[in-house]
Amino acid sequence: MTTTTWEDLVTSALLGTDRRPLPLPAGADAAGPGGGGVVDAPVALLDAAAVQTVRRRAGLLPAPAAPLPRPAPRDERPPLPEAAARRLVQLLADRPSASGGGRRGAAPDLTELLPQWLAAAQAYGYRVPASALPALLDAARARTDLRPQALALGGPRALWLATFNPEWKFALRGASGGAALPAPDDAEGVRRLWEEGLFAERVALLAAVRAHDPAVALDLLASTWATERAEDRLMFLDSLRTGLSADDEEFLERALPDRSRNVRSTAAELLSALPGSAFAARMAARAASCVGLDHTGRQVTITVEAPHECDAEMQRDGVVPQPPSGRGQRSWWLGQLVEAAPLGLWRERLGGRAPGEIVALPVADDWREELHAAWCRAAVRQRDAAWSRALLGPASAPPASGPGASSSAALLSTLPHEERAEWVAAFIAAHGLSEAFQLLGVCAVPWSGALGRAVVDALDIAREAGSYPWSFSGVMGLAERCLDPREANRLEVLTAASDEGEDTAPGAGGYWAEAFQRLVATLRLRAAMHAELSPPET
Amino acid sequence: MAGPTVGGMTEQGVRWTAEQVLALAPDAASRKAGGRLGVAGPWSGTGCSDAGAVWGLCKGSGSTPYRTVVDVTGPAYTCSCPSRKFPCKHALGLLLLWAADAAAVPAGASAPDWAEQWLESRGARAEARKRKDDAGPADPEAARRRAAARSARVTAGAEELEQRLADLVRGGLAAAEQAGYGLWEETARRMVDAQAPGLAGRVRELGALPGSGPGWPVRLLEESALTHLLDRAWLGVDRLPEPLAATVRTRVGLPSSAEGPAVRDRWLVLAQYDTSDGKLTTRRTWLHGRDTGRTALLLSFGVAGRAPEPTLAVGVVVDAELLRHPGAGQLRAELGERFAAPVPGDAPPPGGTVGDALTAYGLALRDDPWLDSWPVTLRDVVPVPAAEGWQLADADGGAALPVTGSAPARPGLWRLAAVSGGAPVTVFGECGHRGFTPLAAWSPDAPGTVPLT
């Protein structure tokens, strides 16, 4: 055997045999495949390297193993039914197309159905197949709106997996659950996790303890409050929104003079949702001094005297002194005061009138819009259905006289679901679909029968009027996701291409048929999705 | 063909999974388009037969619906749409619907005339092909002369390449780094002219090595030496024992044909993946015989826009005959006659430890020293994140194999980690001097084969 080492071969090859001849042992020449003659130095080197290469490969040894990862926590949820698991793979394989808008064809848009599928699967409490988790995390990475549900459904193994891939870091930031929390009454365990846990674990812990015993949770939060970072303080404070009660007032009051402006304004916002709080009383006094009644004219009128300054006390209560550009200082201050004052104040202040009567009163000096907008924000913040109803007005009233689409949607969200659906159905029947998009967004899915019929009728009217379906693509998309799947059969008649009238836009009939085909196909698909998810009967 | 079925084949009614269907798609756009058509909406007149035929009418933008027929035993497709993709989105959509919804594609119906015509002509073509195959080559003397002429050209190419390699080592690999890729590309073209595509492929790989990061001189020397070994082996191929000679001919790039004998078995489809050089797509399909315990590789090629055939869904078991290509250490085979539609498979092949896998690769090098990797199954291994990338470690935490960073493994690696969850799993893959490329996994927690490609 040759005594030439692999390193000798590499060095010689790197520099070239002309410059660095291979230290071949004597007699090696004769063994070359040239047969008798002297073997070229390069050929001898390649011969030897070939032998060494095959020897090195044949003699490969395993590497020492790195420390094994800690196993993923067990997930005791039942597995998805097989058909549903297949559906998930299909939904995850369909990525949103780069070309948004335009003509969308007759086939359903699968990505739009993913949120619904995730919510339904989560409601049943299923565990998704482990092999689908990477695609699920990728989907959640691309779409923040999917994250809460995707992570809840992914469960402990998704979080475990996310610790290994920097692209899935988001899962560790925002996730709750997953990591095993100590029992809420395990004081020792709670204290340790609170002091040593990751941020996401601590948020989850706080929520769990708060659900169990709110006082303990506040003590826990207060114990480290001063040393938390500003963005963490904001998140912790925000988590108090759930189960907010008068017991939280004291803590919130103490948070009012916080160093961070966002923390201050969140504390003020939460306090204003507690009509019995001292904060609310202070705001009520301020607001009441600005708004009053004038009985001098023929008709009773609301008068407004906006504040002249934003003093230190007001600022301490979260009033922001500097208005956004384009707005007057005094009206900006007024809006904040009225918004944060308890709505119960106004009955007493404005002559014992009910909300409906108050809203109907004329307002002096062009303050009506400003005042009503502030009441809208207050009604939403305080979840006051009576005031919301009054501010919304009758659904048949022209939209221009109302509070505007986005305020209306927010007001609707304080009403019971049946009432929302009724109001929106009446609105669409009166005014069509052009301003209905945001309103439909706050209605419960699937839509009630009356609401669904109103939308379909309005679409049919739009078709007969000869417009193109993509003018309604927003509502059409909502209808695909929100109509009751049982409507599919009734809609079938609309999928036929209709004759085109004279004033119809060219080709519109075909496009409408296509749009309705997609609607029906999507409804059928949703029905199939839900059927696949329902547990097998035993 | 689409007639009565062999008695007792009750498994023929088994439908595929969505993944199995989507694996047929020639590209991502087709996957997506097919996925959208995999719902009842646009379809009418659908049905499937016990013999593995699926058909339906798909409403498109025109007034006449497209007629789509699939023979899942092939699988083979036909559709009246103008798409050049193969299979087209309609065929994919139809199969997805068939896979997902037994009610939407009812079984046991008889095919309409338009579908029946195609299915019959398909049967007739298969018969004709079989007869032609049996007849043998037309003129053996002319074929021999052509083979001799090609041998001479390959020999000239091999000698030229030897010269080139000697120059390389004489002048030093360091100089090769400065010379750049052009010289290699020129040499590769000369090898194509010499009708030695195997040598041409090696030369292109050599050309890419100087830019391949730290340690490139070692890799370049290794591959140059093995190319030199192949050249020498070809130049002395007449003196080699026949199995090794066949391997050398295959490595150089001469066509080989499956000679058999036919081995009938129930073949579990372990993995299937495609690699593409832009013009040509190469599809590799690994099979494991349930009874014989043999592992075999199907290689097929498709030009752009067409998925190579055959398409076998990962995880199914096919009762079929395989014909082997000749050569020592060669696993390539051709799929022969199939006796039944695929059925879902269950257990993985028996496997060994990480050490066993390297031993198997080492032994395989005795038969074919040019092997880059060898198919192995690892039992009870845990995917482990290490500083240099992932490893697969024996469950006792002792020995480990590094996972290669090559393309087919990358997205699959996360799936492998997810399926394992830190617990031992069984993994099939290719084990070689670059590490281990995982291709399929089985977990005790979940039934079935999880494809990692």
Side-chain angles (χ1 to χ4, degrees):
Chain A
M1 286 308 291
T2 165
T3 54
T4 316
T5 65
W6 174 248
E7 283 69 30
D8 293 335
L9 293 174
V10 174
T11 310
S12 188
L14 195 57
L15 299 175
T17 49
D18 280 356
R19 240 167 299 170
R20 178 82 168 230
L22 197 59
L24 280 179
D29 292 7
V38 170
V39 178
D40 247 0
V43 175
L45 188 150
L46 286 169
D47 280 346
V51 171
Q52 288 277 9
T53 298
V54 177
R55 183 189 291 164
R56 276 156 52 89
R57 289 182 180 182
L60 277 172
L61 292 174
L68 300 187
R70 75 183 160 84
R74 280 201 69 78
D75 191 339
E76 303 292 352
R77 293 176 293 176
L80 274 179
E82 217 173 295
R86 281 199 298 269
R87 180 75 65 193
L88 174 63
V89 170
Q90 210 180 328
L91 293 178
L92 289 173
D94 195 80
R95 289 292 160 79
S97 57
S99 60
R103 196 176 155 202
R104 298 166 61 213
D109 192 347
L110 295 184
T111 35
E112 290 299 334
L113 296 180
L114 193 53
Q116 225 172 70
W117 190 96
L118 294 175
Q122 167 69 4
Y124 283 113
Y126 286 123
R127 159 169 61 92
V128 301
S131 57
L133 290 177
L136 187 64
L137 284 167
D138 280 342
R141 175 173 180 249
R143 283 180 63 179
T144 46
D145 62 316
L146 293 179
R147 284 182 188 176
Q149 266 157 358
L151 292 175
L153 201 55
R157 188 168 291 204
L159 288 190
W160 176 89
L161 191 61
T163 56
F164 302 110
N165 188 344
E167 293 193 346
W168 297 331
K169 246 190 324 206
F170 68 87
L172 309 174
R173 235 178 0 241
S176 61
L181 294 176
D185 49 3
D186 168 13
E188 175 71 15
V190 165
R191 168 63 57 186
R192 192 168 51 240
L193 185 62
W194 181 251
E195 279 166 4
E196 298 166 10
L198 300 172
F199 178 67
E201 292 171 328
R202 301 177 68 211
V203 171
L205 178 71
L206 188 65
V209 175
R210 184 168 166 83
H212 179 74
D213 185 343
V216 174
L218 281 184
D219 286 346
L220 200 59
L221 188 53
S223 69
T224 56
W225 182 253
T227 58
E228 305 286 355
R229 299 182 310 156
E231 59 260 47
D232 293 359
R233 288 203 302 278
L234 185 63
M235 286 288 283
F236 285 132
L237 203 57
D238 204 61
S239 75
L240 297 184
R241 224 175 268 278
T242 315
L244 187 69
S245 78
D247 295 336
D248 300 318
E249 185 189 345
E250 194 196 328
F251 183 84
L252 293 171
E253 274 287 345
R254 273 187 283 143
L256 271 179
D258 197 273
R259 296 188 295 282
S260 151
R261 194 178 62 171
N262 285 335
V263 173
R264 286 201 299 273
S265 62
T266 303
E269 190 197 328
L270 290 173
L271 280 168
S272 70
L274 295 171
S277 65
F279 170 90
R282 293 197 295 275
M283 282 301 190
R286 291 185 187 114
S289 72
C290 297
V291 180
L293 280 183
D294 177 7
H295 295 274
T296 53
R298 263 177 24 146
Q299 197 184 2
V300 181
T301 305
I302 297 179
T303 55
V304 174
E305 178 68 23
H308 290 275
E309 59 165 351
C310 182
D311 59 32
E313 284 299 301
M314 280 164 73
Q315 290 188 38
R316 185 187 169 277
D317 280 346
V319 178
V320 179
Q322 193 57 39
S325 61
R327 288 200 60 178
Q329 267 186 341
R330 294 182 58 202
S331 75
W332 170 244
W333 297 333
L334 174 80
Q336 293 182 77
L337 295 183
V338 173
E339 177 183 351
L343 285 162
L345 148 79
W346 301 113
R347 176 185 288 271
E348 191 189 332
R349 176 75 183 138
L350 301 177
R353 288 178 172 80
E357 297 167 304
I358 294 174
V359 170
L361 285 175
V363 182
D365 302 331
D366 290 339
W367 281 104
R368 182 177 185 275
E369 203 177 314
E370 200 74 49
L371 186 61
H372 280 210
W375 277 336
C376 281
R377 293 195 297 273
V380 173
R381 195 185 276 190
Q382 295 167 36
R383 316 303 299 166
D384 190 314
W387 270 89
S388 292
R389 256 174 233 126
L391 289 160
L392 274 169
S396 54
S401 71
S406 62
S407 293
S408 294
L411 291 169
L412 278 171
S413 71
T414 69
L415 302 181
H417 280 291
E418 311 84 69
E419 202 179 335
R420 294 184 206 179
E422 265 171 51
W423 196 92
V424 177
F427 180 90
I428 290 171
H431 312 297
L433 292 168
S434 48
E435 309 213 21
F437 183 79
Q438 281 178 306
L439 306 178
L440 285 167
V442 297
C443 293
V445 177
W447 287 340
S448 73
L451 178 57
R453 275 189 295 281
V455 172
V456 172
D457 288 348
L459 285 171
D460 202 22
I461 290 168
R463 163 165 81 161
E464 280 172 12
S467 37
Y468 281 116
W470 42 83
S471 314
F472 300 91
S473 60
V475 172
M476 208 57 159
L478 270 182
E480 288 162 15
R481 299 195 288 281
C482 307
L483 263 183
D484 191 324
R486 282 172 298 193
E487 300 279 331
N489 290 336
R490 216 172 57 78
L491 284 165
E492 189 79 69
V493 292
L494 295 174
T495 59
S498 59
D499 299 331
E500 293 187 3
E502 295 203 345
D503 48 355
T504 304
Y511 294 130
W512 275 106
E514 197 174 78
F516 279 117
Q517 276 166 25
R518 187 178 60 243
L519 178 57
V520 171
T522 310
L523 295 181
R524 297 242 157 90
L525 182 63
R526 283 173 51 211
M529 270 169 34
H530 285 280
E532 288 160 1
L533 281 168
S534 51
E537 309 216 351
T538 45
Chain B
M1 277 272 145
T5 53
V6 188
M9 298 253 164
T10 48
E11 309 96 325
Q12 294 219 336
V14 172
R15 300 186 183 217
W16 297 1
T17 66
E19 292 105 318
Q20 288 169 347
V21 174
L22 289 172
L24 307 178
D27 52 35
S30 299
R31 277 172 75 96
K32 194 169 129 189
R36 291 185 172 190
L37 287 173
V39 291
W43 292 97
S44 59
T46 53
C48 61
S49 74
D50 294 339
V54 186
W55 59 83
L57 297 167
C58 185
K59 200 164 166 43
S61 48
S63 55
T64 342
Y66 295 123
R67 294 166 164 183
T68 311
V69 196
V70 181
D71 180 351
V72 295
T73 60
Y77 327 88
T78 185
C79 183
S80 58
C81 76
S83 169
R84 284 193 308 270
K85 297 281 179 66
F86 199 77
C88 67
K89 62 181 176 180
H90 305 103
L92 289 171
L94 177 61
L95 284 178
L96 283 173
L97 185 65
W98 168 73
D101 192 345
V105 186
S110 63
D113 287 347
W114 50 267
E116 190 60 45
Q117 276 172 11
W118 178 75
L119 291 164
E120 269 172 20
S121 70
R122 208 176 122 65
R125 271 205 306 277
E127 289 288 317
R129 205 162 40 235
K130 205 165 177 268
R131 274 200 303 278
K132 188 166 159 261
D133 287 351
D134 292 345
D139 182 354
E141 179 56 27
R144 203 195 56 74
R145 270 202 311 276
R146 278 197 303 275
R150 179 163 184 182
S151 270
R153 272 198 290 273
V154 173
T155 298
E159 280 165 349
E160 185 180 341
L161 182 53
E162 269 299 273
Q163 198 55 52
R164 174 86 183 82
L165 290 172
D167 291 347
L168 171 74
V169 175
R170 187 177 294 118
L173 304 180
E177 194 187 15
Q178 287 132 36
Y181 191 72
L183 199 54
W184 292 109
E185 187 52 45
E186 169 61 22
T187 311
R189 269 200 297 276
R190 304 277 301 152
M191 294 304 114
V192 171
D193 293 345
Q195 292 190 298
L199 295 179
R202 285 193 161 269
V203 170
R204 285 206 187 88
E205 278 170 27
L206 290 177
L209 285 175
S212 67
W216 68 266
V218 169
R219 285 193 293 278
L220 184 54
L221 178 58
E222 284 179 340
E223 296 306 324
S224 300
L226 288 176
T227 305
H228 161 72
L229 182 67
L230 184 56
D231 281 337
R232 305 301 313 178
W234 169 261
L235 296 174
V237 73
D238 298 340
R239 301 195 299 276
L240 295 178
E242 179 46 34
L244 183 57
T247 297
V248 169
R249 283 195 292 270
T250 304
R251 290 282 173 196
V252 164
L254 296 191
S256 74
S257 59
E259 288 166 353
V263 180
R264 179 171 174 179
D265 201 339
R266 295 176 302 116
W267 299 97
L268 170 65
V269 182
L270 295 170
Q272 174 165 285
Y273 65 97
D274 295 348
T275 49
S276 174
D277 68 353
K279 280 178 243 155
L280 194 70
T281 304
T282 305
R283 169 163 293 177
R284 288 178 174 76
T285 308
W286 284 110
L287 302 175
H288 182 260
R290 307 261 82 184
D291 301 326
T292 58
R294 293 198 191 179
T295 303
L297 174 67
L298 305 180
L299 264 186
S300 54
F301 307 94
V303 292
R306 262 174 188 259
E309 299 206 49
T311 302
L312 291 169
V314 170
V316 301
V317 171
V318 195
D319 182 1
E321 280 181 349
L322 286 193
L323 293 111
R324 292 220 164 237
H325 282 249
Q330 302 305 298
L331 296 175
R332 188 175 173 197
E334 300 290 333
L335 196 56
E337 190 174 350
R338 298 197 211 179
F339 302 98
V343 299
D346 41 17
T353 64
V354 158
D356 295 341
L358 285 174
T359 304
Y361 172 59
L363 288 175
L365 287 173
R366 282 194 313 201
D367 290 327
D368 179 356
W370 297 280
L371 276 172
D372 281 325
S373 63
W374 189 249
V376 291
T377 303
L378 300 173
R379 250 182 84 85
D380 289 340
V381 286
V382 182
V384 183
E388 307 268 299
W390 286 72
Q391 295 179 332
L392 285 171
D394 284 335
D396 64 12
L401 283 172
V403 172
T404 57
S406 66
R410 232 40 233 185
L413 185 57
W414 292 116
R415 226 174 303 158
L416 175 58
V419 167
S420 149
V425 285
T426 299
V427 183
F428 169 81
E430 296 167 3
C431 176
H433 59 92
R434 296 192 190 98
F436 186 90
T437 305
L439 297 174
W442 297 262
S443 157
D445 294 343
T449 308
V450 178
L452 304 177
T453 51

